[in-house]
Amino acid sequence: MKIIRQKKDLLNFINRVKNISFVPTMGGLHKGHLELIKKAKKKSEFVIVSIFINPKQFNSKRDFATYPRTIKKDIELLKKLKVNCLYNPNNKDIFNFKTKKKVYMHPFSQKLCGKFRPGHFKGVVNVINRFLEIIKPKNIFLGKKDFQQLILIKNNILKRKIKTIVIQCDTVRFKKYLPFSSRNMNLTNYEKNFAIKVFKTIKSEKIKIKNKRLNKINLSDLKKRIKSIGVKKIEYIEAVNLVNLKKAKKYNENFNIFSAIYVNKIRLIDNF
């Protein structure tokens, strides 16, 4: 595996490669990332994984400082998977050039996490836009756990006519309910089991809505139940139509229940 830290070296390395699959990460690699990489390897013979902790998508210095950094372990995992290239740039390498295509922000960026993390999604899409301009991959692999991020990246690609295909990959879960996330490294075993209980409750609510064929989705009781479990802070719990991205109202819509909760000081997001 080639480890590259500078854009000019990466461009030289991939100069004649046409079919590239790209998996962007911020490191702290887990089973979710590994599944994305395995799918990328099946799609293409040449896979690039990036590790870049993007400062522009953090809303607090504390969150940025405490984000898991496990680069040595990450490199070993990538080598075992026989990834062709790890691109691990610094801030200057990513931000020292003007992009050819201006970032497009879909109105969905103002909902869910966008309400509570101003500027977060613009920071995410901006960096992915830069990676796509440098690497020009045929495919980019993104997980459905970060559904809002996935949709915004996809809309930027479509709007700006970028020739990269977004491949959506299912969420990989610990004990069926807790989505794998780099932030899970900051949770104790007790906190992980607590989070599993919360997400199990949310999934059960969706099943109930479907089974009872409810013509009016009301999640106020669900919020009360989650608080009674012991969650001190809920940012949002909302049912969203996956097609039109509006608030879901009835059982027969194609919807998921999206949530952002805090377990101790760790913010966890998910959707079922």
Side-chain angles (χ1 to χ4, degrees), residues 22-35:
F22 174 48
V23 182
T25 84
M26 292 206 298
L29 301 184
H30 51 69
K31 286 186 179 180
H33 291 125
L34 303 188
E35 282 301 311

Side-chain angles (χ1 to χ4, degrees), residues 59-73:
N59 293 91
S60 77
K61 290 181 180 178
R62 181 191 173 279
D63 193 20
F64 178 71
T66 59
Y67 194 86
R69 289 162 169 82
T70 57
I71 188 66
K72 288 183 180 179
K73 181 185 171 187

